[in-house]
Amino acid sequence: MLSLNGTSFLDNSLYGVSRGVVQQHRRVAPPMVVVASVRSNGRAGDRNVSVLVETSLKEIRDASPAPPADKDSKSKVTGGIGDVYGEDTATEDQSITPWTVSVASGYPLLRDPHYNKGLAFTEKEKDAHYLRGLLPPVVVSQELQVKKMMANIRQYQVPLQRYMAMMDLQERNERLFYKLLIDHVEELLPVVYTPTVGEACQKYGTIFRQPQGLFISLKEKGKILEVLKNWPQQKIQVIVVTDGERILGLGDLGCQGMGIPVGKLSLYTALGGIRPSACLPVTIDVGTNNEKLLNDEFYIGLRQRRATGKEYAELIDEFMSAVKQTYGEKVLIQFEDFANHNAFDLLAKYGPTHLVFNDDIQGTASVVLAGLIAALKLVGGTLAEHTFLFLGAGEAGTGIAELIALEMSKQTGAPVDETRKKIWMVDSKGLITRSRMEGLQHFKRPWAHEHEPVTNLVDAVKAIKPTVLIGSSGAGRTFTKEVVEAMATFNEKPVVLALSNPTSQSECTAEEAYMWSEGRAIFASGSPFDPVEYDGKVYASGQANNAYIFPGLGLGLIISGAIRVHDDMLLAASEALAAQVTEENLESGLIYPPFSNIRKISAKIAADVAAKAYELGLATRLPQPENLVAYAESCMYSPAYRCYR
């Protein structure tokens, strides 16, 4: 490694860094990958940064696609292949000092997942970066690497082994990981996310190798601003954060919930085109009430009961303030897998002041609404002409219900209080009615209607006679044969959505839904199920996966420079997704488009979300591009290998 110390500079534009690096290293060594590093000296405002800089800025600019024409250069989105250095205007005015520059080549280059290409380094690159002898003589294309890796992954019979193989690849060769995931998204999505990620979180302490995100525990209280500076990337656009209290349908997994933010952000990149270096996974560790974990010698989190009340609120508030101070107004913070009693409060508290989004409440709602809009083409009628019954009245169920009510209000012009009356809910104590009002949590009260008490689901189905049955309970096998058969007695095509994750917690399987409804059900689930053959016909089971929505939503917020998330953006995302369901999809029983087209789906969703941000006056990247779909596509990250010569 060669090191060059330089004087401090106040402008953290990395174009400025590259010019200085190129001039000072041109006489020292042939072209190679250069890493500019900033070391903190303990003073306020200093930070640690690691950024790829290549020796010829002109070569990079020539090799990169030109960004769309824009009168205001600062309004250009960052995150795509043309974003060489990942500038983010949210941090332009923050100084960096002092600085050192190091030249990375040879063996260290092969150990850097951001720039390692494995056997794909060309002969010229091997000479330029001192890789001769460190690699076999063969030069392998990225396409052949993908073929080889898929063959290796398919050899594993255990899903967790496939997950670990993918995580190993991500830690070794980042671009190959995303190329693999994009090219084989339908096969690998269940591996890197639900349902396999649930098992990975349960066993995270055992399989943990190296950190993939930031762990912020109660030990860091009062120091979170400094902790954020320890993260090597400072141009963050999306943060996914969890406190691990309600991981999927598995409950309190404490610190081991980190698998969720890591998995979500992998999808932000693969499906939504957000560059990996702009993504930050965070776990807030306030302890766990899971006795099994507290007694597990391999548990990696705080060994104490969960902090609550003031102590919890102060830690979250410090985190939110530190994020805004460090990354600016336009960083998207996605809350993930918080328990009900915190999820609603956090969204209500920080929604007016931060760019925040709760995927369990809002993302799930948006994707389910999209499926219902598409299903109307099969069952007929409008949303307002249908009756909805939910099993589960937590953050997912009430979030879905509210968005359905908002969409009905938008379509009919009726007040939301009126459209809510078409939606009923069953919780652990039975049908939610006005007679139970005093004992209900605040988020359940809008769904308490006049009705006699009903204590179980099957009686509720028979009493309410819903056309749509939605499960968000986290309780497996609760849509029994009697429940589904009851739905089928008064619906020609009953809509049955079993949304709970992972697969073991699904309210019913695809096979059960089709068998018990005699092939008439319109079915979708939260976790994937194989196609089902019934009475000589094959039914393709749709998956109401949040991955349809949040990557495109995030991209739309970024390309518009949005500063707040509005309900109308969620409605726009739902309508954009539903519009992409074809007649062919519907004929095979699908109410969602295939994941094979997910990047184009995300671009269309991003465009519609961005358009709504501009319409609402919440966008800051001005002027608005003329063709938002083309603009979104041009801004998406590409995993294709860069040429380091």
Side-chain angles (χ1 to χ4, degrees):
M1 300 287 287
L2 299 176
S3 179
L4 175 65
N5 291 325
T7 58
S8 64
F9 62 96
L10 297 180
D11 179 9
N12 83 335
S13 166
L14 297 176
Y15 282 103
V17 175
S18 67
R19 286 193 289 268
V21 172
V22 171
Q23 292 171 0
Q24 296 178 62
H25 280 283
R26 194 165 286 159
R27 297 188 301 272
V28 178
M32 58 191 67
V33 177
V34 178
V35 177
S37 300
V38 178
R39 304 298 179 194
S40 172
N41 63 2
R43 296 185 307 218
D46 294 341
R47 59 187 65 239
N48 301 322
V49 180
S50 177
V51 182
L52 172 65
V53 182
E54 297 185 16
T55 58
S56 172
L57 180 59
K58 182 178 185 302
E59 289 178 4
I60 296 172
R61 286 173 170 167
D62 291 344
S64 302
D70 197 331
K71 295 178 182 179
D72 181 0
S73 62
K74 289 188 177 182
S75 70
K76 293 183 177 67
V77 69
T78 62
I81 187 173
D83 180 30
V84 180
Y85 302 111
E87 298 88 351
D88 185 350
T89 54
T91 57
E92 273 187 354
D93 59 348
Q94 299 184 28
S95 61
I96 297 179
T97 183
W99 60 280
T100 63
V101 177
S102 300
V103 180
S105 61
Y107 196 79
L109 179 57
L110 298 179
R111 294 298 179 266
D112 190 325
H114 304 300
Y115 317 121
N116 176 35
K117 301 197 293 185
L119 296 179
F121 283 106
T122 65
E123 296 296 327
K124 288 184 178 180
E125 288 173 330
K126 289 177 182 178
D127 287 332
H129 305 304
Y130 302 104
L131 299 175
R132 284 286 175 190
L134 300 180
L135 292 168
V138 68
V139 176
V140 175
S141 69
Q142 191 178 31
E143 287 69 25
L144 188 57
Q145 287 180 321
V146 168
K147 183 178 180 180
K148 174 184 175 181
M149 281 304 305
M150 284 306 301
N152 289 340
I153 288 172
R154 287 165 179 159
Q155 289 179 358
Y156 294 114
Q157 300 301 314
V158 179
L160 187 61
Q161 291 177 330
R162 294 188 175 192
Y163 174 89
M164 293 173 66
M166 287 294 290
M167 293 305 102
D168 286 343
L169 177 61
Q170 188 176 25
E171 294 169 6
R172 186 174 71 251
N173 186 330
E174 185 177 82
R175 287 184 180 269
L176 183 58
F177 169 84
Y178 286 112
K179 177 69 172 172
L180 206 69
L181 185 52
I182 291 170
D183 288 357
H184 298 273
V185 61
E186 291 179 295
E187 182 175 353
L188 294 178
L189 187 64
V191 174
V192 301
Y193 202 62
T194 56
T196 310
V197 73
E199 183 182 0
C201 287
Q202 289 176 307
K203 300 176 180 177
Y204 204 79
T206 304
I207 67 175
F208 179 82
R209 285 180 169 80
Q210 65 180 37
Q212 294 177 291
L214 275 180
F215 294 87
I216 298 176
S217 73
L218 290 170
K219 292 182 178 180
E220 282 71 57
K221 190 174 183 181
K223 307 174 184 177
I224 295 179
L225 195 60
E226 292 303 313
V227 171
L228 292 178
K229 294 174 184 177
N230 290 339
W231 187 249
Q233 305 293 340
Q234 291 297 306
K235 311 296 180 178
I236 302 301
Q237 294 173 323
V238 183
I239 293 172
V240 176
V241 57
T242 186
D243 70 352
E245 189 169 5
R246 193 201 60 82
I247 299 298
L248 302 176
L250 302 172
D252 187 350
L253 297 184
C255 189
Q256 296 189 167
M258 178 58 92
I260 297 296
V262 170
K264 285 280 186 179
L265 286 168
S266 295
L267 301 185
Y268 261 112
T269 296
L271 313 186
I274 311 299
R275 57 188 167 87
S277 61
C279 299
L280 174 57
V282 176
T283 290
I284 304 289
D285 186 0
V286 296
T288 179
N289 294 334
N290 187 323
E291 293 292 342
K292 183 178 180 180
L293 291 179
L294 290 173
N295 296 319
D296 184 352
E297 63 178 327
F298 298 123
Y299 180 57
I300 60 176
L302 291 178
R303 294 181 183 274
Q304 66 175 63
R305 307 287 293 182
R306 278 191 171 271
T308 58
K310 183 179 179 181
E311 187 178 18
Y312 178 89
E314 287 178 348
L315 186 69
I316 298 294
D317 199 54
E318 182 186 350
F319 168 73
M320 296 298 290
S321 298
V323 164
K324 197 169 185 179
Q325 183 176 340
T326 303
Y327 305 123
E329 183 85 5
K330 293 177 287 187
V331 63
L332 173 61
I333 304 169
Q334 177 172 313
F335 295 122
E336 193 70 33
D337 287 355
F338 285 76
N340 292 342
H341 56 271
N342 289 321
F344 290 101
D345 291 344
L346 291 175
L347 191 59
K349 180 177 181 179
Y350 295 108
T353 59
H354 292 67
L355 183 66
V356 295
F357 167 72
N358 187 302
D359 193 41
D360 304 300
I361 298 173
Q362 297 166 296
T364 301
S366 188
V367 75
V368 172
L369 176 58
L372 293 174
I373 293 172
L376 292 178
K377 298 175 184 178
L378 293 172
V379 298
T382 65
L383 278 178
E385 294 171 335
H386 287 269
T387 303
F388 304 83
L389 178 64
F390 284 76
L391 176 63
E395 55 193 286
T398 56
I400 298 166
E402 185 66 14
L403 203 63
I404 293 172
L406 286 170
E407 180 70 11
M408 284 194 287
S409 176
K410 176 184 172 183
Q411 292 179 1
T412 64
V416 175
D417 287 346
E418 288 298 316
T419 58
R420 286 181 182 139
K421 294 177 181 179
K422 298 288 292 183
I423 302 170
W424 297 79
M425 292 198 170
V426 172
D427 64 7
S428 59
K429 296 180 180 179
L431 189 67
I432 295 178
T433 60
R434 294 194 65 82
S435 61
R436 295 176 49 194
M437 184 67 80
E438 288 189 7
L440 292 175
Q441 295 164 288
H442 66 89
F443 53 85
K444 294 183 181 181
R445 289 175 182 171
W447 315 105
H449 309 314
E450 289 290 350
H451 199 282
E452 295 180 359
V454 179
T455 57
N456 59 68
L457 178 61
V458 66
D459 288 342
V461 169
K462 292 176 180 178
I464 302 300
K465 291 183 170 52
T467 53
V468 180
L469 179 64
I470 299 174
S472 60
S473 62
R477 303 302 182 267
T478 44
F479 288 176
T480 62
K481 182 178 181 181
E482 189 177 5
V483 167
V484 176
E485 286 180 344
M487 285 289 296
T489 57
F490 46 79
N491 290 297
E492 177 62 29
K493 293 182 178 180
V495 179
V496 178
L497 306 182
L499 303 178
S500 294
N501 285 316
T503 309
S504 59
Q505 304 303 114
S506 183
E507 285 79 9
C508 70
T509 66
E511 183 177 16
E512 289 168 344
Y514 291 123
M515 292 284 288
W516 294 338
S517 67
E518 299 178 336
R520 292 187 282 118
I522 297 171
F523 177 81
S525 56
S527 290
F529 286 101
D530 292 331
V532 174
E533 183 176 351
Y534 175 79
D535 197 23
K537 182 178 178 180
V538 176
Y539 297 85
S541 174
Q543 186 183 0
N545 194 317
N546 291 19
Y548 276 116
I549 291 292
F550 70 81
L553 175 70
L555 180 61
L557 295 171
I558 290 172
I559 66 175
S560 63
I563 56 173
R564 299 291 180 268
V565 175
H566 192 281
D567 286 339
D568 284 352
M569 297 176 183
L570 302 174
L571 296 178
S574 297
E575 292 165 4
L577 176 58
Q580 296 178 80
V581 180
T582 66
E583 290 297 329
E584 184 180 356
N585 298 149
L586 293 169
E587 287 175 5
S588 63
L590 293 174
I591 56 175
Y592 294 99
F595 259 106
S596 56
N597 297 325
I598 189 60
R599 299 264 287 192
K600 289 189 177 296
I601 293 169
S602 294
K604 181 63 171 67
I605 291 172
D608 286 12
V609 169
K612 186 60 66 173
Y614 283 108
E615 179 186 325
L616 295 170
L618 296 174
T620 63
R621 297 192 187 276
L622 304 171
Q624 177 180 341
E626 291 184 6
N627 188 331
L628 279 168
V629 175
Y631 185 48
E633 290 178 343
S634 73
C635 293
M636 298 177 86
Y637 164 85
S638 169
Y641 284 144
R642 302 287 302 267
C643 182
Y644 304 138
R645 288 186 295 190

